[in-house]
Amino acid sequence: MNIKYVVVDNCARVFSNKGLTTRPLTDNLEEVLKQENKIELIEEEIEKNKVQIDKETENLGVDKKWIFSSLPFFLVVCFLLLNGSITKDFVMVFSLFSSSIIGFSLFLGGLFNYLNEKKQIKNMKMQNFFFEQNLESEKNYLQELKDLEVLVNQKDSPNLIDIDTISMRRKLAECKEKLNYYQKRMKKFYHMPLTEEFKKELYQNGIDAEIYEDYVEEQTRSLKK
């Protein structure tokens, strides 16, 4: 990630988290450095989501075991509690009642985690679909910037110039939140086209309506399989 740069000997000394590099001084250098950071942030987010998806998918298997193992236990205990032959034994009734509470709690906990993890996986898959679709266009834009570079002469400057990444991270976080919000509304469009009004809403919120439509179509095809 590009962090700062300084002009020395009519070149730019660029400081990044990978070390120091020297680049020709061009009229759009700062824009190029910012665009490189944007691409790196998107790639990092894609990779982070992939790791998290694998982790959450593994957790789904664990939660399934909790659900299927605790539910029968809970049902058996409830059956014994309803059996009048043991109602006279207070200790037995209390033990069974406590066991039923534990079993039901395990069942609910496993079910809650399972549903929450499935939701998280859907959200991250949708995010990656958008990021991967957008990544190519961002790389193309970076190449356009480089093709338009013009070498410039500039006196040495002792001032370090910061490359802003805070606003990029904030915008990326906002984009993820919006995608999560629209993931909830997706089922409405499985069997109907997106209205122009909704497409306008997507664009106003920084979401590419065409990519959203492509994702809906992909999800619809997967449901038909």
Side-chain angles (χ1 to χ4, degrees):
M1 192 74 64
N2 301 313
I3 303 170
K4 302 173 183 286
Y5 75 92
V6 63
V7 178
V8 179
D9 296 333
N10 206 40
C11 291
R13 304 290 172 85
V14 181
F15 300 86
S16 73
N17 52 7
K18 297 178 182 177
L20 175 66
T21 58
T22 300
R23 301 201 192 188
L25 193 60
T26 60
D27 60 339
N28 63 352
L29 176 64
E30 190 169 347
E31 193 174 359
V32 168
L33 295 176
K34 286 182 178 180
Q35 184 64 17
E36 289 176 349
N37 283 357
K38 186 175 183 180
I39 290 170
E40 190 171 339
L41 282 173
I42 294 173
E43 289 175 335
E44 285 178 0
E45 200 63 39
I46 290 172
E47 186 57 33
K48 186 170 68 175
N49 278 351
K50 285 180 179 179
V51 172
Q52 192 63 27
I53 288 170
D54 290 340
K55 181 180 177 182
E56 296 289 353
T57 302
E58 186 177 339
N59 289 339
L60 282 180
V62 175
D63 289 327
K64 276 184 180 179
K65 290 180 181 178
W66 277 111
I67 293 170
F68 289 114
S69 62
S70 58
L71 183 59
F73 173 75
F74 170 70
L75 293 175
V76 168
V77 172
C78 287
F79 173 78
L80 292 174
L81 277 173
L82 293 173
N83 189 329
S85 62
I86 63 169
T87 55
K88 296 179 181 180
D89 190 333
F90 174 78
V91 175
M92 179 64 75
V93 170
F94 180 77
S95 298
L96 288 173
F97 180 76
S98 300
S99 299
S100 69
I101 295 297
I102 294 172
F104 188 62
S105 298
L106 291 173
F107 168 73
L108 282 182
L111 182 61
F112 175 79
N113 288 337
Y114 180 81
L115 295 175
N116 187 56
E117 283 155 4
K118 284 196 73 174
K119 175 185 171 185
Q120 293 299 325
I121 289 171
K122 281 186 177 180
N123 288 343
M124 288 184 288
K125 283 184 175 180
M126 183 180 189
Q127 290 169 17
N128 273 9
F129 185 90
F130 271 79
F131 293 152
E132 287 167 357
Q133 293 278 327
N134 190 46
L135 190 58
E136 194 62 33
S137 62
E138 296 293 352
K139 288 181 177 179
N140 289 338
Y141 179 58
L142 174 61
Q143 188 57 51
E144 288 175 10
L145 289 174
K146 290 183 175 181
D147 291 341
L148 295 171
E149 287 177 336
V150 176
L151 293 174
V152 295
N153 294 314
Q154 184 177 324
K155 293 181 180 180
D156 292 358
S157 171
N159 299 323
L160 286 168
I161 301 172
D162 292 323
I163 307 299
D164 177 34
T165 57
I166 295 175
S167 61
M168 287 184 189
R169 291 184 186 278
R170 185 179 66 248
K171 287 180 181 178
L172 190 62
E174 290 173 354
C175 180
K176 289 173 63 177
E177 288 180 8
K178 289 170 184 172
L179 288 172
N180 291 347
Y181 170 71
Y182 286 115
Q183 169 70 42
K184 298 175 185 177
R185 301 178 62 179
M186 183 169 299
K187 288 184 180 179
K188 293 170 59 177
F189 305 103
Y190 281 165
H191 305 294
M192 64 179 71
L194 271 64
T195 64
E196 292 303 317
E197 183 179 353
F198 182 61
K199 287 182 181 181
K200 185 178 179 181
E201 178 189 327
L202 288 171
Y203 279 122
Q204 288 174 343
N205 284 284
I207 305 299
D208 190 313
E210 292 181 3
I211 297 179
Y212 186 87
E213 198 164 24
D214 289 342
Y215 187 75
V216 173
E217 289 179 4
E218 183 182 89
Q219 294 302 299
T220 304
R221 286 195 299 270
S222 66
L223 287 173
K224 291 178 180 179
K225 291 181 180 179

